[in-house]
Amino acid sequence: MRDFSQLSEREILALAIGNEEEDGRIYLDMAERLREDYPATANIFKEMAAEESEHRRELLELYREKFGDHIPLIRRQDVRGFITRPSIWQFPKPNIDDVRKIAESMEQETQRFYRNAAARATDVSIRKLLGDLADAEAEHEHRADALSESNLTADARSTEDKHAREQFMLQYIQPSLVGLMDGSVSTLAPIFAAAFSTGDTFAAFLVGAAASLGAGISMGFAEALSDDGSLTGRGTPYVRGVVTGLMTTLGGLGHTLPFLIPSLHMALIVAIIVVVVELSAISWIRWRFMDTSPLRATLQVAFGGALVFATGVLIGGG
């Protein structure tokens, strides 16, 4: 691997040609991945790919004029400190905002590359072209805005943003809510049953910790294996599984930790307060993200929690 500062002008041009070709293909990959859900944004990336193709043509003409027809294979990974690019095809379901940020960072990195390359060039025509391409990359942000105005109308942007919110709901909010509800509600019975039956706060803590971790692992695997996201658009199953498992564990540990307090009476009071906070948070999330009325969300969650809590108390007290 060689440093960028060690490359000759011929090698820099060869690297730039490969860079423009790869960037164009990345933009086309973005367009293809976004075509179905975000057609207006996909058109923007197709036009940006066309611009990268024009840059590559200009570089090829100059290279042929200066060095002939053979272009050495110089890859990004062969140059230390050279700009890197993401593999869009590896993204399970690209987030629209993430893709736009990636495109912006690509233009900024390419601009820095051309600035540095132009500063090192001694040939006037090479220096001029590299400088012009650096200016062109700097203008791409404005060009992207112009493309957005022509392709991404207010209605199209509103539709895409709505779809992005729906994807966020399916991939993160819904699994988080399922996990939090299961962890907060299902662990109530074993924890309070252990507390009332043994009168030992540490024993209740052990039962709660085991129930929370076990439920987290179980729910995580259940969510990950239930749907690969290819048809429902719910995103990567592993991410959903991790989110669900962590939130399930968190929901159970919230009212388990108070049982580290030696006093059973105080531990019960604190645990009940934590349970009220947890159920209130669940009700708020359902109202905020699931379009459930505040009263309905509160009554549904409170009723379910009360049933499970009563079950634990009855079993433990009996």
Side-chain angles (χ1 to χ4, degrees):
M1 183 177 290
R2 295 169 60 186
D3 290 330
F4 175 72
S5 59
Q6 297 175 321
L7 299 181
S8 65
E9 291 181 345
R10 178 171 180 260
E11 292 167 336
I12 288 176
L13 280 182
L15 192 58
I17 291 169
N19 177 56
E20 292 293 345
E21 180 177 2
E22 187 171 337
D23 282 359
R25 294 183 66 180
I26 290 174
Y27 286 139
L28 288 176
D29 283 346
M30 290 179 175
E32 179 62 25
R33 296 302 302 276
L34 298 173
R35 178 174 53 83
E36 182 177 351
D37 296 330
Y38 309 101
T41 298
N43 287 335
I44 293 175
F45 285 124
K46 286 177 65 177
E47 295 193 37
M48 292 180 71
E51 290 195 358
E52 298 301 307
S53 179
E54 176 62 22
H55 292 172
R56 178 175 176 273
R57 185 192 63 78
E58 294 175 0
L59 286 165
L60 280 170
E61 289 181 355
L62 180 61
Y63 183 93
R64 187 177 293 110
E65 175 186 337
K66 297 293 181 181
F67 305 109
D69 293 329
H70 175 69
I71 303 175
L73 176 61
I74 302 178
R75 301 167 298 181
R76 301 176 191 274
Q77 58 266 35
D78 297 330
V79 180
R80 185 178 294 107
F82 192 66
I83 52 182
T84 59
R85 293 290 185 259
S87 299
I88 300 300
W89 64 271
Q90 295 183 5
F91 286 20
K93 192 72 174 179
N95 178 280
I96 184 67
D97 291 327
D98 290 342
V99 170
R100 288 169 180 161
K101 289 177 182 178
I102 290 172
E104 182 180 349
S105 69
M106 286 172 59
E107 299 300 337
Q108 292 173 349
E109 288 175 337
T110 304
Q111 180 189 354
R112 285 195 296 269
F113 162 63
Y114 282 134
R115 295 287 185 204
N116 292 333
R120 295 187 58 249
T122 57
D123 184 281
V124 174
S125 57
I126 294 177
R127 189 184 186 98
K128 180 180 184 303
L129 177 58
L130 292 174
D132 290 344
L133 290 176
D135 292 337
E137 297 296 338
E139 288 296 321
H140 264 196
E141 181 177 357
H142 303 295
R143 175 61 174 155
D145 291 339
L147 292 175
S148 295
E149 291 178 1
S150 60
N151 291 287
L152 199 58
T153 63
D155 290 341
R157 182 58 183 265
S158 176
T159 300
E160 292 191 356
D161 288 344
K162 180 181 179 181
H163 183 79
R165 287 193 297 271
E166 292 174 349
Q167 291 296 110
F168 180 74
M169 286 282 300
L170 290 173
Q171 295 175 20
Y172 296 100
I173 298 299
Q174 190 179 68
S176 297
L177 183 60
V178 169
L180 188 59
M181 289 181 65
D182 184 84
S184 299
V185 176
S186 68
T187 57
L188 288 176
I191 294 173
F192 284 95
F196 280 100
S197 63
T198 65
D200 185 347
T201 57
F202 189 68
F205 169 77
L206 292 179
V207 171
S212 300
L213 293 172
I217 295 172
S218 175
M219 287 293 293
F221 273 101
E223 179 64 29
L225 297 176
S226 65
D227 174 20
D228 64 3
S230 60
L231 295 178
T232 60
R234 297 180 64 213
T236 309
Y238 304 109
V239 173
R240 294 197 330 269
V242 170
V243 170
T244 303
L246 287 177
M247 293 305 293
T248 301
T249 303
L250 180 63
L253 289 178
H255 48 262
T256 296
L257 293 176
F259 287 98
L260 288 173
I261 301 173
S263 171
L264 178 61
H265 182 69
M266 182 59 66
L268 288 172
I269 292 176
V270 175
I272 291 173
I273 293 174
V274 172
V275 169
V276 172
V277 172
E278 290 173 345
L279 298 182
S280 299
I282 293 172
S283 299
W284 182 85
I285 293 173
R286 296 193 67 208
W287 164 71
R288 176 66 177 79
F289 296 101
M290 309 300 288
D291 294 328
T292 306
S293 68
L295 180 60
R296 182 182 177 187
T298 301
L299 290 177
Q300 289 176 341
V301 174
F303 181 69
L307 285 179
V308 178
F309 175 78
T311 301
V313 173
L314 288 174
I315 294 175

